[in-house]
Amino acid sequence: MKELIKSSLDKAITYNAYFKQIEQSIENDQPMYESENLNFYNKLNYQRMKRLNKTSRLSDGFLEAGRSVPCKLIWLVITEGWCGDAAQIVPVLNKMASEIDNLELKLIYRDQHLELMDKFLTNGGRSIPKVIIIDATTLEVKGDWGPRPKPAQDMFMVYKNNKLDMDYKEVQAEMQKWYLKDKSENIQKELQPMLDLCK
């Protein structure tokens, strides 16, 4: 696993590089994906990310916990530009890393790194975003989180288990409303314990 983590980190990029790649693909009309549908979501998510880059705010409790992280951690995030959950979560992760000295954020595209993705499946699926928490010194995996906060995951699972009489686009719309209302509160609440994994 350590060799896979090391090689994945070597290929990973910063959030700024990730955002820039998406931005340039849209501005230069050079689609990132073969599917027209995925490129549509890539454009939509770019707008969401742009908004969250400006509006994301961290709670005092999260910032306080961040100040006392005793070791250097890397959050390696498996993501894609077309993923609606990633568009709501990854800008918040970037805000966290920018505010916490001992936290570094690295991103890697899922579809180019399926070997890594397949080590961190959710209910057998390649769900993203997935945050892998790594000790920066030893490259030991200390934990993982994702693909979404528990209330959003619960909502998704109700749909997946055919208990919601809605199509997937309606579910996506409801999830996006949930993220807007939540204002990253649950993301912060669930990731705060992940700052204390140095032991």
Side-chain angles (χ1 to χ4, degrees), residues 11-196:
K11 295 166 191 163
I13 57 176
T14 64
Y15 176 78
N16 287 342
Y18 171 75
F19 184 78
K20 197 77 180 163
Q21 284 177 1
I22 294 170
E23 183 176 61
Q24 287 178 343
S25 79
I26 292 163
E27 288 180 354
N28 299 332
D29 197 25
Q30 294 176 332
M32 287 179 65
Y33 302 100
E34 291 181 12
S35 159
E36 193 175 313
N37 197 37
L38 294 186
N39 286 312
F40 168 79
Y41 284 113
N42 196 43
K43 283 183 183 177
L44 186 64
N45 291 333
Y46 168 65
Q47 296 302 327
R48 289 173 176 148
M49 290 166 66
K50 239 167 70 163
R51 174 179 55 79
L52 285 164
N53 287 344
K54 293 175 185 171
T55 61
S56 293
R57 298 284 177 270
L58 302 179
S59 70
D60 291 342
F62 190 91
L63 289 169
E64 183 64 33
R67 279 192 281 273
S68 58
V69 177
C71 70
K72 289 198 176 293
L73 294 172
I74 300 168
W75 284 1
L76 176 61
V77 183
I78 306 171
T79 186
E80 286 286 349
W82 48 256
C83 175
D85 292 288
Q88 297 287 352
I89 294 169
V90 177
V92 178
L93 301 179
N94 181 58
K95 182 75 174 173
M96 292 171 174
S98 68
E99 297 281 351
I100 296 172
D101 289 341
N102 273 346
L103 181 58
E104 183 180 8
L105 184 69
K106 291 284 194 176
L107 283 78
I108 199 159
Y109 288 104
R110 183 193 77 169
D111 297 345
Q112 296 169 22
H113 298 91
L114 294 178
E115 184 184 359
L116 180 68
M117 178 75 260
D118 287 346
K119 300 287 187 193
F120 296 93
L121 301 177
T122 303
N123 300 320
R126 292 169 170 168
S127 302
I128 53 174
K130 182 66 86 165
V131 182
I132 306 166
I133 295 101
I134 301 163
D135 182 307
T137 304
T138 65
L139 299 188
E140 181 187 351
V141 174
K142 308 299 281 186
D144 63 83
W145 179 89
R148 51 182 75 87
K150 187 175 185 310
Q153 180 69 3
D154 289 347
M155 191 188 312
F156 178 76
M157 292 309 294
V158 168
Y159 159 76
K160 195 169 181 186
N161 294 328
N162 299 315
K163 293 180 181 170
L164 272 184
D165 187 24
M166 300 168 78
D167 68 28
Y168 187 57
K169 283 192 175 179
E170 289 175 301
V171 173
Q172 284 179 311
E174 287 305 309
M175 298 268 276
Q176 294 307 320
K177 284 182 199 170
W178 181 85
Y179 278 113
L180 281 169
K181 188 177 175 186
D182 185 67
K183 298 184 188 304
S184 85
E185 184 179 319
N186 275 278
I187 299 169
Q188 294 182 58
K189 185 170 78 175
E190 293 180 25
L191 279 168
Q192 188 169 321
M194 302 288 186
L195 297 171
D196 190 28

